[in-house]
Amino acid sequence: MTEPLVSLDKVEKRFDDFVAVREANLEIGAGEFIAIMGPSGCGKTTTLRMLAGLDAPTSGEIRIAGKLMNEVAAHERDTPMVWQSLALFPFLNARENVEFGLKMRGIDSDEREKRAMNWLDRMEIAEFAERNVETLSGGQRQRVALARALVTEPKLLLLDEPLSALDAHLVIRMQGVLTKLQKELGITFVYVTHSQSEAFAMADRVVIMSKGEIAQVGTPREVYRAPRTRFVAEFVGRNNILPGSVTSSDADQVTVETGLGTFSVPGVATIGTKASIVVAGDMMQVGRGENSVDATVISEEFVGSIVTAFLEAADGTELKVQVQERALADLDLQPGSKVTLHWATQDGHLLLEET
Amino acid sequence: MTLFLRTWLCLVAGFIFLPIFVSMLFSFNEARFPTLPLTGFTTGWYEAIFSDPDFWRSAKNSLIVSTTTAVIATFLGFCTAYTDYRYSFRGKSLFLAIILLPPTIPLIIIALAMLAWFSRVGMSGQVVSIIAAHTVLTAPFAMAIIRLRLSQIDESLEAAAWNLGASEWRAMREVILPFCKPAILSSLFLTAAVSFDEFTVSWFVSGLNKTLPVHVLEIVQGTIDPQVNAIGTLVFGVSITLVVISQALIFFRLQKAST
Amino acid sequence: MRRLNLYALTFRLPIIIWQTLFFIGPLIFVVAMSFFVVRNFQMVETFEFDSWKRMLSRDFVWDAYVYTVLMAGSAAILASLIAFPAAYCLAFQTSARTRQIAILLLIIPFFTSYLVRTFSWYTILAEAGVLNGAVGLVGLGPYTLLNTYVGTLIGYLTLVMPLVLILQTVTMANIDDRLIQAARNLGCSPARTIWTVILPAGKTGFVIAALFAFILSFGDFVAPFYLGGSNPPTLPILIIDTTKAGQQWPRAAVVAVIMMVTLFVIAFSAIMYAYRKRASR
């Protein structure tokens, strides 16, 4: 990566005794779509607010385009934000909302109106320009909020769970609008969300946070296939986690003794290390193979054409397997039935316990 | 049971509104001493007060006092409401207490305290003394109305303004004040109405610069004079107008917010 | 926590300064003044107990004290009892819309001249007044109501009734309907429901309403003066007499301090009682 647009260097934020963000290091490149995700209270929104200058870091350095931002007030930055509540000004109409940022920069009213209308047009809501924002639909308000944030043509756009108030079908549509917009503008999006599907659908890289710390940064695929901590493994996707310890080690492969048996997995580790084998739910297959475990089906969950079966092994370990719905008929996955699951060794992922 | 309750409610309402009604009625009655049966219609009592220079002087004082009070009290109430909304700091409850406490202290005590204090600091008997006293009495109402409005604000709104390049002062002007405008107007009318009616403290601190209610008090102390009914009806008209405007502003706003 | 800046101070300092000058200052001064003395018609700022000794040793002060507390207490209880059925009706037997309008109407007298309303009562209650004129038409009366404690009470009720009614109505309207329905379901009669559900559930509101009625009546001089004929005088009338007529401000200050302490004790106990969790039974 060349010169990053945004860099966080050992950034920490405390509110009295509470540490909201701890020792965060992160570099975001120009034109990247980054999603920061994690459960509520993990520090993702605080991180975003520090980028906007709404919270000041307790220690560490935040740089944007190489410039140290710690002491720069919120209104002196050009880091517009799309808010979870949208935060449209209720006493202004749609056009005046979009013009707000330009007005604050002292741009004259003709120019303001031209640029605001241009953006409303681009967001396909020019016809509502003079409407009170409170009379607009959720999707239209969303577009006003985007236009308002983008009208100053920033290099960096911050988005704080902007789609959380929308209906499911609108979310998918707005995701399309956002990714298209980001590619066209070529600017950096930092997108905070608790929704894995939103993050994975749009982001180039995702940042997973837990209890104020950055747990892992990587492409959606990396995070999904190779979680670095148990938290990440549990947080993303339907992963099977088999804890145990390393009993032997080859050049690029180790064996781990777990409660369900001893299995091989690619990776490097010293003998005796505590480690888990992580197998993604969609890599698990029904039947006998390279690495097999027996389990009892507890329940099933249908999401679209994918069925997730939840099973329990003899020692109580919870297992998940995802299969296509049309393949379901051939498999006996009724609750109560006993089945054998297997996975290919190279599909397993070695997860070393944090020390 | 229901019938009994309804009747009771009407009786209580009757008790509350009877004196207002009687006062209006007898402001147009000829007899010097108001009693039944009515003796005849007259506007004489109104003519009497309109030709009384004392009435005009005190009415003018009242107008000055209530408008100035309204502006200052609303400013103080706004500052408190905004501070309460925006900040948390040590000693905040004490801070709120010093503005919210006055209505719980009897007016007669405040009146005595103000009288003594103002003469001690050389401010006695002036119109500004009445204004200072009335701002203390009415600021809590302003605070309550504006705080209620601020509790309806989306908390991100002010931060959104900063985020778009507004300094704190600019955000105050462009976002907080426009948002609070109906409550501020409502507060102006309400505090003016309260100040316009207040007589205990005014009576103690006004000296020669008496307000209209003090003028009424002085008439009442003398004799039975239906002029009081006429003034009362006039003052009632003014107060009602102010209160109705104030209430309408809140009501209208709440209705709008709930749709 | 944010650092204090000019902006934040702009919204804090004016209030602190203003309220110190015109509220805290006067209140502290009135306490201090109770220890001043008057010599040769001049108030001397010292620290002596003359006024306290004088006022506390006089029977008429104690009589006025007892009378004022009793009258204000009666007004609070009477207003609460009289307002209750009306508030009950507004809270449970009218639509939300009617209730809203009723409350709006009830606010109106609260902001209209209490003085004029009292004068109006004076003309209504007088020996040759409206009421006696009315009952005289059917051959009754005249009744003496003015210059008695009845007159004072009517004045107090005029002052506090709208507020008590509003507070009680809001209190009862906010009681969870399911509680009442549950009680009725379990076979509680309406009267018992009031006793077992509404009163306990709305305790805080009822006590606060009564407390406000007490505070307002306790400090009012208009009703006992014009309708009660200062017969006997109440504490506020003592304050007026000693300030306006006698120029004995320190003595008035003593009465004011006594009133403040009394109010503080009563308000504190009432609030403790209102917010106390019910003891386990």
Side-chain angles (χ1 to χ4, degrees), chain A residues 56-231:
Chain A
T58 314
S59 63
E61 291 184 348
I62 294 180
R63 289 173 188 277
I64 297 179
K67 188 182 169 211
L68 183 63
M69 301 301 280
N70 288 32
E71 298 293 323
V72 179
H75 69 275
E76 286 157 349
R77 307 182 180 204
D78 194 12
T79 51
M81 182 142 142
V82 180
W83 302 75
Q84 183 169 15
S85 67
L86 300 186
L88 296 178
F89 303 120
F91 41 84
L92 301 179
N93 65 29
R95 177 178 53 75
E96 290 164 335
N97 261 283
V98 177
E99 280 183 24
F100 193 90
L102 299 172
K103 193 175 170 192
M104 294 308 116
R105 282 164 181 73
I107 292 166
D108 71 71
S109 65
D110 290 348
E111 174 72 10
R112 283 203 314 253
E113 183 166 348
K114 207 179 87 197
R115 284 165 69 175
M117 288 311 295
N118 187 16
W119 267 100
L120 287 169
D121 198 34
R122 186 162 186 173
M123 300 307 299
E124 297 165 1
I125 44 168
E127 58 188 298
F128 305 115
E130 304 302 319
R131 284 264 293 274
N132 182 326
V133 287
E134 294 190 323
T135 64
L136 300 179
S137 73
Q140 290 160 350
R141 290 161 58 80
Q142 194 82 50
R143 286 159 190 266
V144 175
L146 268 172
R148 183 178 75 172
L150 289 168
V151 73
T152 54
E153 288 161 16
K155 295 231 167 16
L156 174 63
L157 181 69
L158 308 175
L159 302 103
D160 183 15
E161 309 212 21
L163 306 185
S164 58
L166 293 185
D167 293 341
H169 68 282
L170 272 177
V171 169
I172 306 288
R173 233 174 85 194
M174 284 310 293
Q175 283 179 4
V177 171
L178 285 172
T179 36
K180 184 161 162 272
L181 204 56
Q182 195 261 343
K183 292 286 168 289
E184 281 172 14
L185 296 169
I187 66 172
T188 305
F189 276 28
V190 179
Y191 189 103
V192 159
T193 181
H194 65 268
S195 154
Q196 187 197 323
S197 66
E198 276 180 29
F200 282 18
M202 294 187 284
D204 300 324
R205 286 196 301 158
V206 295
V207 176
I208 296 180
M209 293 187 72
S210 161
K211 294 178 185 159
E213 293 184 53
I214 293 180
Q216 190 167 357
V217 183
T219 64
R221 193 179 166 76
E222 278 167 8
V223 171
Y224 190 55
R225 292 299 178 213
R228 204 182 297 150
T229 68
R230 194 186 167 97
F231 170 79

Side-chain angles (χ1 to χ4, degrees), chain C residues 211-278:
Chain C
L211 176 65
F212 264 106
F214 182 87
I215 293 177
L216 285 173
S217 310
F218 192 68
D220 175 43
F221 74 91
V222 175
F225 190 82
Y226 293 104
L227 302 178
S230 299
N231 179 30
T234 59
L235 293 178
I237 294 175
L238 282 191
I239 291 184
I240 291 171
D241 284 352
T242 38
T243 351
K244 288 270 173 184
Q247 292 294 323
Q248 274 289 356
W249 292 7
R251 288 183 201 166
V254 169
V255 179
V257 173
I258 291 173
M259 283 179 74
M260 278 196 279
V261 171
T262 307
L263 272 184
F264 180 78
V265 170
I266 286 175
F268 187 76
S269 340
I271 288 168
M272 290 303 282
Y273 173 72
Y275 286 99
R276 195 185 59 190
K277 298 267 175 289
R278 259 176 301 160

Side-chain angles (χ1 to χ4, degrees), chain A residues 49 52 54 74-75 77 79-81 83 85-91 97 100-101 103-105 132 134 148-149 158, chain B residues 149 154-168 170-171 174-176 178-180 253 256-257 259:
Chain A
R49 287 177 63 88
L54 297 167
H75 69 275
R77 307 182 180 204
T79 51
M81 182 142 142
W83 302 75
S85 67
L86 300 186
L88 296 178
F89 303 120
F91 41 84
N97 261 283
F100 193 90
K103 193 175 170 192
M104 294 308 116
R105 282 164 181 73
N132 182 326
E134 294 190 323
R148 183 178 75 172
L158 308 175
Chain B
R149 177 68 183 150
D154 170 357
E155 292 207 21
S156 313
L157 222 54
E158 196 179 13
W162 305 332
N163 180 249
L164 292 167
S167 65
E168 284 188 307
R170 196 80 198 270
E174 302 277 353
V175 174
I176 300 292
F179 186 86
C180 291
R253 204 60 213 184
K256 216 177 148 191
T259 49

Side-chain angles (χ1 to χ4, degrees), chain B residues 1-2 4-6 8-9 12 15-23 26 33-37 72 75-76 78-80 82-83 86-90 95 97-110 112-120 123 131-133 135-136 139 141 158 162 168-169 171-172 176 190 193-194 197 199-200 203-204 213-214 216-217 220-221 223-226 228-229 231-233 235-236 239-240 243-244 247 251 255, chain C residues 1-2 5-8 10-16 18-27 29-30 33 43 45 81-90 93-94 97 100 104-124 126-134 137 153-155 157-158 161-162 165 190 194 212 215-216 218-222 225-226 236 239-240 243-244 249 252-253 255-257 259-260 263:
Chain B
M1 188 65 189
T2 309
F4 164 76
L5 287 174
R6 295 253 152 112
W8 189 269
L9 176 64
V12 173
F15 174 81
I16 290 171
F17 291 102
L18 178 71
I20 299 172
F21 171 74
V22 167
S23 162
F26 284 97
F33 192 88
T35 187
L36 288 176
I72 298 174
F75 171 74
L76 295 173
F78 177 82
C79 290
T80 319
Y82 179 70
T83 301
R86 165 98 188 263
Y87 299 98
S88 66
F89 51 94
R90 233 162 1 108
F95 175 81
I98 65 165
I99 197 165
L100 292 177
L101 226 45
T104 63
I105 295 176
L107 288 172
I108 189 77
I109 295 176
I110 294 187
L112 174 67
M114 294 282 181
L115 170 69
W117 177 254
F118 285 142
S119 49
R120 179 71 181 77
M123 263 179 72
I131 294 170
T135 53
V136 170
F141 297 103
E158 196 179 13
W162 305 332
E168 284 188 307
W169 292 104
M172 166 57 64
I176 300 292
L190 196 73
V194 175
D197 266 344
F199 57 90
T200 309
W203 181 39
F204 269 61
V214 177
V216 171
L217 192 70
V220 173
Q221 274 172 326
T223 50
I224 300 290
D225 187 341
V228 171
N229 286 327
I231 297 177
T233 306
V235 172
F236 177 81
S239 296
I240 277 299
V243 172
V244 165
Q247 289 294 319
F251 204 65
Q255 293 262 306
Chain C
M1 199 181 287
R2 263 163 219 280
N5 56 22
L6 178 70
Y7 180 81
T10 307
F11 296 97
R12 257 175 250 183
L13 275 186
I15 293 142
I16 295 172
W18 193 269
Q19 297 297 104
T20 307
L21 275 180
F22 300 121
F23 179 55
I24 308 292
L27 275 192
F29 189 69
V30 93
M33 194 167 72
M43 195 157 66
E45 295 185 6
L81 291 179
I82 293 172
F84 186 82
Y88 183 90
C89 181
L90 278 176
Q93 304 193 337
T94 56
R97 178 105 192 129
Q100 228 169 2
L104 227 58
L105 284 174
L106 285 172
I107 289 173
I108 288 170
F110 196 56
F111 289 110
T112 55
S113 178
Y114 169 53
L115 199 55
V116 173
R117 281 182 288 152
T118 308
F119 174 76
S120 190
W121 274 118
Y122 185 91
T123 62
I124 294 169
E127 206 83 13
V130 178
L131 187 69
N132 280 321
L137 295 178
L153 275 180
I154 287 177
L157 291 183
T158 307
M161 191 60 84
L165 189 46
I194 291 175
F212 264 106
I215 293 177
L216 285 173
F218 192 68
D220 175 43
F221 74 91
V222 175
F225 190 82
Y226 293 104
I239 291 184
I240 291 171
T243 351
K244 288 270 173 184
W249 292 7
V255 179
V257 173
M259 283 179 74
M260 278 196 279
L263 272 184

